[in-house]
Amino acid sequence: MLAEALVGEVLGRARSGGADFAELYVERWRRRGMRVLNGEVKEATSGLEYGAGLRLFYGSEVVYAYTNDLTPQSLLELTETLVRLKGLAGQVEASGTGGLDFRKQIPRGLHTPLIPLGAKDKRYRLERLLEAESGARIAPQIKQVQSSLTEWEQEVLVANSTGAWVEDRRIRSRVNVLAIAQDDFGTQTGTSGPGLSVGLEIFDLYPPASVGRKAAQQALTNLRAKPAPAGTMPVVIGNAFGGVIFHEALGHLLETTSVAKKASVLSDKLGEKVASECVTYIDDGTTPHGWGSSEFDDEGLPTERTVLIENGVLKSYMVDRWGAERTGLRPTGSGRRQDYTFAPTSRMRNTFIAPGDTPLDKLFEGIEYGLYAKDMGGGQVKPGSGEYNFGVKEAYIIRHGRIEEPVRGAMLVGKGPESIQKIVAVSNDLETAPGMCGSLSGSLPVEVGQPHLLISEIVVGGQA
């Protein structure tokens, strides 16, 4: 995307101006989207982004700036501007590459799509979205259906003053369906939204009609549900998106973004027991075609499988370059950013609780009265402590070990570091689900997941 000589000159000038480390991040990004509401196209968009960001380290202190003008003059002016912030502009060499001999790494194509995004036209996409709507029209109570497709192609170049040169290509696709059900007593919604690092084979992996049907079934279930009870009780949390609780209330506490600042209750806990022995918690950037996967992170390091908690013991944090400087820990390929307008920070990729050995039906045995939170929704988390409250999109009462009537409006309230110690059984039916996570370095695609699991007690907010 940029000439090697220009990249070398930018980094060389930064180093000659006093920076201990310099990194140039360049990206080209194309996004497409289509949204259909009740059979009518409401949006069909396509956009291009192109820009670069320059990051300089002075010890553990960092300065960052970006531009969408990638001419040599603009990039060199950007370099001088950043160096000037440290009062060393007079030392910047007029030219030169800093003697860098780049070690180039090219992606192996681990997540290459089977059907490229350019292989089909807009009509093909529209037909698939109409199939999703048709699949959702399973009852007269379904009054409105919205289906959408999001796609992006991202090309990335990361080069730094150690001589690293990394290129990566990322392609992602996601289908979303929202179904609204209504009767004389109220209105309820249901959603379904699979996504992966794939091309248009997303429609083969997740047939559109089945995606629509799943959303509609959830809406109809909630339409006949009674208000949820309130109180402290055992809770079985469903697999796949059930993992969002521990993503938000635990995962963020394990990023060096908070750990290095001592802003996490899990700082300085390596080697200590922090969870139930049946819990192994993993963040994996290498999952084939995972929604949050890539071959390299946004700092140019290979992604990896990082075991964060093993059998209840804290083994690792998610470490970016800045976090490594502050803590002395090894980087784990966890540096991520939304785009070139953000400096990278340590972020989750595909984070999940590993499968256990408890058969699913055994999770419910012995529960006299509890809640089955089959599908989780959004919520709020208090940074640092992991205190959370999350809505449940689909829930059922557990009575005498059996799943009984559906309930709606349930909230789960607790603290992540405490809840993970109260997990008493984990099933073997691991599934994952895509989502978008916002933090200091912007909004990123992440995958959450877990098998079904039983927590001995959680405060359930509902209607007493």
Side-chain angles (χ1 to χ4, degrees), residues 27-43:
E27 72 177 355
R28 180 188 295 114
W29 200 339
R30 181 171 184 176
R31 308 173 196 247
R32 301 181 184 88
M34 181 177 288
R35 180 171 66 90
V36 177
L37 177 63
N38 293 336
E40 182 179 345
V41 176
K42 291 297 183 180
E43 290 180 0

Side-chain angles (χ1 to χ4, degrees), residues 8 12 55 69 77 95 108-109 135 147 160 179 194 208 240 242 248 282 300 316 340 354 385 389 414:
R55 184 169 62 150
D69 181 352
E77 286 178 355
S95 62
R108 293 171 291 166
S147 56
N160 65 42
E248 294 288 359
I282 298 168
S316 179
Y340 71 92
S385 69
N389 60 81

Side-chain angles (χ1 to χ4, degrees), residues 6 19 40 47 63-64 67 117 129 157 178 203 218-219 240 244 262 269 311 389 415 432 438:
L6 175 58
E40 182 179 345
V63 291
Y64 185 76
T67 179
L117 298 179
L129 294 181
L157 163 65
L178 167 67
F203 293 122
Q218 185 177 87
V244 70
K262 312 297 184 185
K269 298 284 188 181
N311 299 326
N389 60 81
K415 294 181 69 173
T432 60

Side-chain angles (χ1 to χ4, degrees), residues 21-204:
F21 173 82
E23 170 196 88
L24 185 65
Y25 173 88
V26 187
E27 72 177 355
R28 180 188 295 114
W29 200 339
R30 181 171 184 176
R31 308 173 196 247
R32 301 181 184 88
M34 181 177 288
R35 180 171 66 90
V36 177
L37 177 63
N38 293 336
E40 182 179 345
V41 176
K42 291 297 183 180
E43 290 180 0
T45 61
S46 179
L48 290 171
E49 293 184 25
Y50 192 35
L54 180 64
R55 184 169 62 150
L56 307 184
F57 277 66
Y58 296 86
S60 60
E61 186 178 352
V62 179
V63 291
Y64 185 76
Y66 61 89
T67 179
N68 61 4
D69 181 352
L70 301 189
T71 61
Q73 178 182 357
S74 174
L75 289 173
L76 295 174
E77 286 178 355
L78 185 73
T79 307
E80 299 231 9
T81 298
L82 277 188
V83 170
R84 193 175 298 117
L85 291 175
K86 304 302 295 182
L88 299 173
Q91 299 181 30
V92 177
E93 296 177 0
S95 62
T97 64
L100 290 176
D101 183 15
F102 288 112
R103 307 178 305 277
K104 294 191 175 183
Q105 298 184 70
I106 307 298
R108 293 171 291 166
L110 298 179
H111 313 293
T112 300
L114 296 177
I115 304 178
L117 298 179
K120 304 287 185 179
D121 60 13
K122 290 180 180 179
R123 178 172 295 278
Y124 173 83
R125 292 164 166 80
L126 174 58
E127 289 171 350
R128 302 292 81 75
L129 294 181
L130 292 176
E131 287 177 13
E133 176 173 337
S134 178
R137 300 285 183 181
I138 59 176
Q141 292 92 340
I142 300 296
K143 303 299 183 182
Q144 184 169 298
V145 178
Q146 176 178 279
S147 56
S148 62
L149 173 65
T150 302
E151 314 165 10
W152 69 59
E153 299 175 81
Q154 184 188 27
E155 295 177 328
V156 168
L157 163 65
V158 186
N160 65 42
S161 55
T162 71
W165 178 294
V166 169
E167 296 179 47
D168 202 6
R169 185 166 183 259
R170 304 153 186 177
I171 295 178
R172 293 183 171 93
S173 299
R174 188 177 185 186
V175 181
N176 272 289
V177 177
L178 167 67
I180 299 178
Q182 185 176 29
D183 61 14
D184 294 338
F185 303 99
T187 301
Q188 296 294 325
T189 63
T191 60
S192 181
L196 290 169
S197 291
V198 297
L200 293 176
E201 68 265 30
I202 189 74
F203 293 122
D204 297 324

Side-chain angles (χ1 to χ4, degrees), residues 252-402:
H252 283 300
L253 302 183
L254 297 173
E255 296 167 336
T256 46
T257 304
S258 57
V259 169
K261 300 174 183 177
K262 312 297 184 185
S264 166
V265 295
L266 295 176
S267 296
D268 301 320
K269 298 284 188 181
L270 286 176
E272 296 185 19
K273 187 175 183 296
V274 298
S276 163
E277 292 179 359
C278 62
V279 172
T280 293
Y281 196 49
I282 298 168
D283 183 67
D284 191 351
T286 69
T287 304
H289 301 287
W291 177 244
S293 294
S294 60
E295 291 199 43
F296 302 96
D297 73 356
D298 291 331
E299 297 180 317
L301 294 175
T303 56
E304 64 177 53
R305 178 183 174 94
T306 307
V307 178
L308 303 169
I309 296 172
E310 185 174 26
N311 299 326
V313 177
L314 182 59
K315 293 292 189 178
S316 179
Y317 298 113
M318 288 166 279
V319 186
D320 63 338
R321 183 178 293 275
W322 175 85
E325 290 283 346
R326 291 288 297 268
T327 65
L329 298 172
R330 179 185 66 84
T332 57
S334 303
R336 302 186 69 198
R337 61 182 108 196
Q338 174 179 313
D339 55 42
Y340 71 92
T341 66
F342 291 85
T345 59
S346 60
R347 300 289 296 275
M348 285 171 274
R349 299 159 299 192
N350 306 302
T351 313
F352 56 91
I353 292 177
D357 56 8
T358 303
L360 178 57
D361 58 346
K362 297 293 184 181
L363 291 182
F364 297 88
E365 287 186 2
I367 299 177
E368 289 300 307
Y369 188 79
L371 186 77
Y372 173 30
K374 183 178 180 180
D375 193 9
M376 297 301 303
Q380 295 179 328
V381 176
K382 186 176 181 180
S385 69
E387 294 176 72
Y388 65 81
N389 60 81
F390 275 86
V392 185
K393 292 197 298 182
E394 184 176 348
Y396 300 82
I397 292 297
I398 304 170
R399 191 178 286 108
H400 307 303
R402 296 175 60 87

